[in-house]
Amino acid sequence: MRRITFILVFIFAFSILLNGQNVDNIVFHSDYEKTNFYQFVKGEHAQLLDLQLMVDENVSSTAAKDYHNKFEALVVEAKEKLDKINSDQRYLSWLFYRVHRKVLKNYVQYSPLAQVFETGDYDCLSATTLYALLLNELGFKTKVVETNYHIYLEVLTADTKYLIESTDALNGFVYNQLEIDKRLAEYDAKNNSASTSEYAFNAKIHDAVDLNKLIGLQYYNRAVYTFNNGNILPTLDLLEKSTVFYHSERIVEFGIVLAQAIMDDKSLDDEIKSVSINRVGSFIKAKDIVASR
């Protein structure tokens, strides 16, 4: 089997990455998160899996070791199978359905990656992240694409593109090029249509994201989940951290929504509101704030 080795290299351009933020003032929910977060920011070695797991406030260093063991077991099994199947298509098909049978059990919106290992609960982001991490370990070149309401994965070999739709347990591995084109067109159509059940973004998002940016999206998803549960200030902590990894249009829009929620929250005194609004402003560029919000 011909494989394209994909090596993820961290490139730290601090003036761009941090966008003027003082990371020393960031609020962390655990020592495990703080350690891995600062390793990333300082350009020190940090495990890709740890950077994804640290987002979840329920994950300790002890729990993370267990999740590492489970992930490594998947990698070992997948590598053993890789030597026995001499077709990219057949191998990727096996891998997709094996992961679903063994790990991905129940679709639950806003399930973080740790929940995948703990209970088998997953959503499109956590499941796609798992596949991306696995394929990275196996030497495949991948392209993760986020849209306004979804995220999907392409696997790129020397002469073929495959699509992995992580939430479709029955037909989520797509190798037929016409079917791939059809699915991509469906993603575009949904991206350009108004949703009555989800927040309608002003921006139209259809961007490739790397594994670092996936960390930012994990923080973003956790922030949305926390916001929906009425926890305003913890939402601010999460959204602030998300921008260190990925300063995207969706995060800017959510920051504006969050700022308005802070101003409207009668349980917060004026001093807390002022400090919180200033924190939002520190990760949203002035040119991105629209007067209509």
Side-chain angles (χ1 to χ4, degrees), residues 262-263 269-279:
I262 291 169
M263 292 301 297
D269 63 36
D270 289 343
E271 182 178 357
I272 292 177
K273 287 183 179 182
S274 176
V275 170
S276 299
I277 293 298
N278 285 336
R279 285 174 63 191

Side-chain angles (χ1 to χ4, degrees), residues 80-281:
E80 290 176 352
K81 198 73 172 181
L82 187 60
D83 295 329
K84 298 175 182 178
I85 302 178
N86 61 358
S87 160
D88 284 330
Q89 181 179 314
R90 289 197 298 114
Y91 178 75
L92 291 169
S93 177
W94 171 85
L95 181 68
F96 175 82
Y97 293 108
R98 179 60 176 164
V99 170
H100 256 284
R101 285 194 299 270
K102 191 172 184 178
V103 183
L104 304 175
K105 304 297 183 182
N106 312 294
Y107 178 85
V108 179
Q109 193 174 28
Y110 301 123
S111 295
L113 184 59
Q115 203 65 28
V116 173
F117 295 113
E118 188 69 29
T119 64
D121 293 344
Y122 68 92
D123 67 2
C124 64
L125 177 59
S126 55
T128 299
T129 299
L130 177 60
Y131 279 114
L133 289 169
L134 270 173
L135 289 162
N136 180 60
E137 289 286 333
L138 295 167
F140 283 91
K141 183 179 180 181
T142 61
K143 178 184 175 183
V144 180
V145 180
E146 68 156 330
T147 71
N148 284 42
Y149 307 109
H150 194 50
I151 191 163
Y152 62 89
L153 175 69
E154 296 176 2
V155 185
L156 309 172
T157 64
D159 55 3
T160 308
K161 176 171 69 178
Y162 302 97
L163 177 67
I164 287 182
E165 168 49 77
S166 64
T167 58
D168 185 352
L170 296 179
N171 301 295
F173 175 67
V174 187
Y175 57 88
N176 181 281
Q177 297 307 302
L178 291 177
E179 179 62 23
I180 290 175
D181 291 342
K182 178 182 176 182
R183 294 228 186 179
L184 295 181
E186 290 172 353
Y187 298 151
D188 284 338
K190 182 175 182 181
N191 218 33
N192 292 317
S193 64
S195 173
T196 58
S197 60
E198 300 171 276
Y199 175 79
F201 290 93
N202 286 328
K204 295 302 179 187
I205 301 167
H206 194 276
D207 300 319
V209 293
D210 60 21
L211 287 170
N212 290 348
K213 289 182 177 180
L214 283 175
I215 304 164
L217 288 176
Q218 296 278 2
Y219 272 119
Y220 172 85
N221 253 23
R222 205 65 186 157
V224 172
Y225 174 81
T226 303
F227 183 81
N228 288 343
N229 281 281
N231 299 312
I232 301 296
L233 295 184
T235 298
L236 174 56
D237 296 338
L238 291 161
L239 199 61
E240 189 171 42
K241 287 178 282 194
S242 72
T243 62
V244 173
F245 299 92
Y246 188 20
H247 196 274
S248 72
E249 293 171 289
R250 74 164 74 236
I251 291 171
V252 169
E253 282 202 38
F254 187 24
I256 296 166
V257 172
L258 177 60
Q260 187 61 58
I262 291 169
M263 292 301 297
D264 294 341
D265 192 334
K266 293 181 173 56
S267 69
L268 302 177
D269 63 36
D270 289 343
E271 182 178 357
I272 292 177
K273 287 183 179 182
S274 176
V275 170
S276 299
I277 293 298
N278 285 336
R279 285 174 63 191
V280 173

Side-chain angles (χ1 to χ4, degrees), residues 65-75 103 117-119:
K65 289 178 182 178
D66 180 51
Y67 303 147
H68 268 277
N69 290 337
K70 292 178 179 179
F71 179 73
E72 186 58 31
L74 284 174
V75 172
V103 183
F117 295 113
E118 188 69 29
T119 64

